[in-house]
Amino acid sequence: MKQMKLVALRTPKKADDGPATETVDLSLRLLERLATSSDSIGVSELAREFAASKATVYRHLQTLVRHGFVHQESTTMRYAAGIKLFILGERLRERFEILPVAREDMARLREETGQPATLSALVENQVVVLEVLQGHAIVNFGTQPGTVLDLHASAHGNVALAFGPKILMEHCLSRPLKAWTPQTICSPSALQRAIAKVRARGWATAPNRVLQGVNGLAAPLFNHVGDYVGAVAIAGSIQYIPASPPQAQIRAVIQTMERISRKLGWNGRWPKTGNGS
């Protein structure tokens, strides 16, 4: 098994690989090797594995040490993965821990409403769909996991603007707002008013704003410290999710949001203005 791993790490160089690419490539391969090893490793061993000089490997390792990605033992002078990798890994895990937690309640939401249930999270200032449970309609909802939703145009995005990090609105307004349909909100002032309303009532809709005939009804998810971590929604034909949704649908989405958030440790107190204030 170890031999197979080493072979995979020795990726053949491409013809168009330049010095800068080779430098990054070696650093990443060294990092991966240390991260997957249960023991610390010396410079000489790493140099042999990667067919590089000890001086070259040492320079790369020292750079990684300075940034906290690699740790050098003071007694043996050998190298191991650093604490920063653990921290980043934990942050990534926490970002997506809502997925296994939310599935049961998403399925319940779908059964209660008959509409597709969707789950999203914020990834590098973008709202990304993590899961879609199709409804019972003859025609299924087209959005798939991995879809990036516009902040200004989608219900998921509006919830992120209302309850997510403050910088999100600045990021959204730093470029022209795309008009997906004639109903898409493309005015910065109009968007800010709409987000204030979302923040006040705790849920968002986006009738005909991404695609004609389609609407979404979304509510935010909170973690144990009350921070926004994503959103849950129903989405589908505006025939079944009207621009002004019935109280039964709003209640179903809010109750789903509360159940999922409580599983994430939320104390039940809504933020007064949200992170996006």
Side-chain angles (χ1 to χ4, degrees):
M1 186 70 173
K2 187 175 182 180
Q3 291 179 341
M4 290 177 63
K5 184 180 291 182
L6 294 179
V7 170
L9 289 170
R10 292 173 182 157
T11 306
K13 296 178 181 178
K14 297 180 181 179
D16 58 352
D17 281 353
T21 302
E22 293 177 11
T23 297
V24 174
D25 180 72
L26 180 55
S27 289
L28 292 175
R29 290 190 292 143
L30 286 168
L31 197 58
E32 183 180 4
R33 177 70 176 93
L34 293 173
T36 55
S37 175
S38 58
D39 300 313
S40 57
I41 309 175
V43 173
S44 297
E45 182 179 347
L46 289 169
R48 287 194 298 271
E49 286 187 15
F50 294 99
S53 70
K54 290 174 61 176
T56 298
V57 171
Y58 176 79
R59 287 197 303 271
H60 283 264
L61 290 172
Q62 287 301 306
T63 298
L64 293 169
V65 168
R66 284 199 303 273
H67 290 280
F69 291 106
V70 168
H71 168 72
Q72 186 177 23
E73 298 174 347
S74 57
T75 53
T76 65
M77 305 306 289
R78 292 164 67 87
Y79 295 87
I83 188 64
K84 196 167 188 177
L85 283 180
F86 175 79
I87 293 171
L88 292 177
E90 282 296 291
R91 288 178 180 174
L92 187 62
R93 183 188 65 81
E94 290 172 2
R95 175 180 290 172
F96 299 114
E97 72 177 2
I98 60 174
L99 184 52
V101 170
R103 281 198 176 105
E104 179 181 353
D105 292 297
M106 288 179 65
R108 178 174 171 179
L109 177 63
R110 176 185 60 183
E111 295 307 312
E112 287 180 359
T113 64
Q115 302 305 310
T118 59
L119 182 76
S120 71
L122 195 63
V123 181
E124 297 180 355
N125 292 329
Q126 291 183 308
V127 170
V128 179
V129 176
L130 299 182
E131 182 68 292
V132 178
L133 299 184
Q134 295 292 353
H136 302 303
I138 297 176
V139 179
N140 283 331
F141 187 53
T143 298
Q144 300 296 326
T147 301
V148 176
L149 301 173
D150 272 9
L151 291 166
H152 71 288
S154 65
H156 279 281
N158 281 194
V159 165
L161 288 174
F163 296 97
K166 292 180 180 179
I167 196 173
L168 208 54
M169 180 63 82
E170 298 175 17
H171 172 75
C172 180
L173 298 180
S174 65
R175 65 196 69 184
L177 302 178
K178 180 176 178 179
W180 289 90
T181 73
Q183 284 73 43
T184 305
I185 299 176
C186 297
S187 162
S189 59
L191 178 63
Q192 290 173 325
R193 288 194 299 271
I195 298 307
K197 182 181 292 186
V198 171
R199 196 176 298 127
R201 67 189 183 188
W203 49 271
T205 57
N208 300 308
R209 292 179 188 166
V210 176
L211 188 66
Q212 289 286 2
V214 172
N215 190 20
L217 171 58
L221 299 173
F222 302 111
N223 63 12
H224 63 288
V225 293
D227 288 341
Y228 158 89
V229 293
V232 64
I234 55 174
S237 170
I238 200 165
Q239 175 183 353
Y240 302 113
I241 308 175
S244 296
Q247 284 301 312
Q249 288 184 340
I250 296 172
R251 183 168 55 251
V253 172
I254 293 295
Q255 289 176 346
T256 301
M257 161 265 160
E258 290 176 342
R259 287 194 297 268
I260 295 172
S261 295
R262 288 186 185 279
K263 290 178 181 178
L264 295 172
W266 180 53
N267 61 13
R269 290 196 296 268
W270 281 71
K272 292 181 179 179
T273 58
N275 295 343
S277 61

